[in-house]
């Protein structure tokens, strides 16, 4: 055995060992895949299925795992609190939350933030401070959406008539803002009168239907009706259909599910204020991931809102918006 051969053998062994150590360290230090929990207000409305689709799209594009779970009904505040606490205990990397209550969910969000789990609020506001209690608020401009609905009603009624507004729920910040925007618009026109503006539909379509039935006397006197979310719109629509009032009472609704758009095509609804729930779900996840990765994010992000009417329903821009583009 020559001295030269021995030196080459030792050198090869050293190189192999170094490569093994570098490889092992690389595997050990490789970043793990982020897990983002997405918690909607509820899971039964078509709207939340679209939010889910947007979140999944973002997860696929960004290479993160999405855990999507929410209470069955939007009135289950305690159930949503428990979900937030459960995801905190699981140690997820971030949370995207549509709070069922603007006040009741604040403590759970603050708990997450205290444990270094960033929270992005979507859809409905929280009584907290962006940059302190949570990272960012991604939502429709709900006040603007309400004003758009009021302006549409004013045009439809030519500035003269009696109106019934069916609210959603007292604890929901997003719909409160829509209702405030609608009333702000209506009150600008002296010829418009609110017959009803203080009744609440509740969290489900069935509850909205019951409340609309309780308003039948006022509905028969009304020239126009406004509802501020999907379930209230669909519950009211059912009652108008059952009592031969569709087409007689001018109807402006909120959201643009397939059932609502079909009703518009039949002439039963004359305008819909449409959010972009697919985009909202996408931006909620993306904003959370951007923050985790150290990127700057805006405290408020507008996910988009448009007025849909029979006149513009088939416009390519509106069709793209309805598809989540």
């Amino acid at each position: 055995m020559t001295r030269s051969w021995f030196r080459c053998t030792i050198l090869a062994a050293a190189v192999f060992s170094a490569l093994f150590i570098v490889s092992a360290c690389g595997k050990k230090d490789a970043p793990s895949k982020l897990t983002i929990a997405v918690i909607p207000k509820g899971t039964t409305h078509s709207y939340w299925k679209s939010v889910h689709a947007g979140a999944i799209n973002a997860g696929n594009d960004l290479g993160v795992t999405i855990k999507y779970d929410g209470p069955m009904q939007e009135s289950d505040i305690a159930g949503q609190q428990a979900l937030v606490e459960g995801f905190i205990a699981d140690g997820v990397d971030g949370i995207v939350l549509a709070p069922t209550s603007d006040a009741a969910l604040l403590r759970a969000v603050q708990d997450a933030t205290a444990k270094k789990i960033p929270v992005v609020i979507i859809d409905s506001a929280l009584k907290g401070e962006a940059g302190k209690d949570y990272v960012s608020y991604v939502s429709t401009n709900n006040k603007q959406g309400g004003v758009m609905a009021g302006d549409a009603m004013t045009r439809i009624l030519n500035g003269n008539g009696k109106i019934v507004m069916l609210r959603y729920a007292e604890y929901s910040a997003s719909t409160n803002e829509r209702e405030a925007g609608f009333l702000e618009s209506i009150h600008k026109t002296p010829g418009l009168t609110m017959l009803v503006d203080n009744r609440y539909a509740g969290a489900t379509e069935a509850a909205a239907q019951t409340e609309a039935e309780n308003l039948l006397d006022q509905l028969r006197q009304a020239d126009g009706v406004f509802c501020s979310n999907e379930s209230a719109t669909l519950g009211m629509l059912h009652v108008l259909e059952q009592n031969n009032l569709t087409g007689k009472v001018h109807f402006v609704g909120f959201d643009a599910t397939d059932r609502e758009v079909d009703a518009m095509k039949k002439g039963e609804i004359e305008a819909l204020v449409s959010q972009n729930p697919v985009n909202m779900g996408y931006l909620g996840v993306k904003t959370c991931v951007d923050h985790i990765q150290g990127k700057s994010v805006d405290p408020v992000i507008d996910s988009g809102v448009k007025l849909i009417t029979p006149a513009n329903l088939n416009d390519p821009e509106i069709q793209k918006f309805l598809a989540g583009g």
Side-chain angles (χ1 to χ4, degrees):
M1 181 183 297
T2 65
R3 191 174 293 176
S4 175
W5 182 90
F6 181 78
R7 283 198 299 269
C8 288
T9 301
I10 294 297
L11 179 60
V15 170
F16 177 80
S17 297
L19 289 172
F20 178 81
I21 291 169
V22 169
S23 175
C25 289
K27 289 180 180 177
K28 182 177 179 181
D29 294 337
S32 59
K33 192 173 184 180
L34 294 174
T35 297
I36 307 297
V38 180
I39 310 172
K41 284 185 177 182
T43 53
T44 55
H45 294 178
S46 296
Y47 176 85
W48 297 116
K49 293 177 174 64
S50 296
V51 170
H52 187 191
I56 293 298
N57 290 344
N60 291 336
D61 288 351
L62 301 172
V64 303
T65 298
I66 302 297
K67 289 188 174 182
Y68 185 91
D69 197 6
M72 185 69 72
Q73 294 189 4
E74 296 185 8
S75 56
D76 187 3
I77 297 171
Q80 193 183 50
Q81 288 172 319
L83 283 169
V84 175
E85 292 162 0
F87 280 125
I88 293 172
D90 289 345
V92 296
D93 297 292
I95 295 173
V96 176
L97 172 70
T100 51
S101 166
D102 59 356
L105 269 294
L106 179 58
R107 177 64 63 85
V109 169
Q110 290 173 330
D111 287 346
T113 301
K115 292 178 171 62
K116 309 300 181 185
I117 299 175
V119 179
V120 171
I121 300 299
I122 63 170
D123 180 75
S124 194
L126 188 71
K127 288 183 177 177
E129 182 182 341
K132 176 185 175 184
D133 299 305
Y134 54 88
V135 171
S136 180
Y137 176 40
V138 179
S139 178
T140 305
N141 185 329
N142 287 295
K143 181 73 175 294
Q144 179 188 359
V147 170
M148 291 166 68
D151 290 350
M153 182 68 79
T154 301
R155 289 192 298 271
I156 291 166
L157 297 182
N158 294 315
N160 187 49
K162 300 174 182 178
I163 301 168
V164 169
M165 177 174 71
L166 184 59
R167 294 175 180 265
Y168 171 61
E170 292 184 75
Y171 48 77
S172 171
S174 58
T175 48
N176 286 340
E177 290 168 7
R178 296 168 199 171
E179 293 146 10
F182 180 81
L183 291 174
E184 179 181 295
S185 172
I186 294 301
H187 290 330
K188 291 178 181 177
T189 305
L192 297 174
T193 303
M194 294 302 303
L195 275 180
V196 177
D197 65 4
N198 62 352
R199 302 287 281 274
Y200 290 89
T204 67
E205 184 179 330
Q209 182 178 326
T210 298
E211 192 58 36
E213 288 169 347
N214 293 335
L215 291 171
L216 265 174
D217 287 344
Q218 292 92 334
L219 290 171
R220 291 190 176 104
Q221 300 172 47
D223 300 292
V225 174
F226 170 63
C227 295
S228 60
N229 83 321
E230 173 192 336
S231 56
T233 298
L234 291 173
M236 176 64 74
L237 177 63
H238 182 80
V239 171
L240 294 177
E241 289 172 338
Q242 292 296 307
N243 291 275
N244 197 31
L245 291 172
T246 52
K248 298 177 182 178
V249 180
H250 300 286
F251 194 2
V252 176
F254 220 96
D255 295 319
T257 64
D258 289 343
R259 287 171 63 194
E260 290 170 290
V261 171
D262 286 344
M264 176 179 287
K265 291 175 179 177
K266 295 175 185 175
E268 297 175 338
I269 292 177
E270 293 178 62
L272 291 166
V273 179
S274 176
Q275 305 180 80
N276 194 333
V278 174
N279 192 42
M280 186 184 296
Y282 191 101
L283 289 175
V285 172
K286 184 179 185 301
T287 301
C288 194
V289 172
D290 283 349
H291 174 80
I292 292 169
Q293 294 177 343
K295 299 175 184 176
S296 176
V297 300
D298 293 331
V300 178
I301 298 173
D302 187 351
S303 55
V305 62
K306 288 187 181 295
L307 182 74
I308 314 297
T309 67
N312 70 11
L313 179 60
N314 294 319
D315 289 354
E317 181 184 348
I318 294 297
Q319 287 297 310
K320 181 180 178 182
F321 185 85
L322 291 174

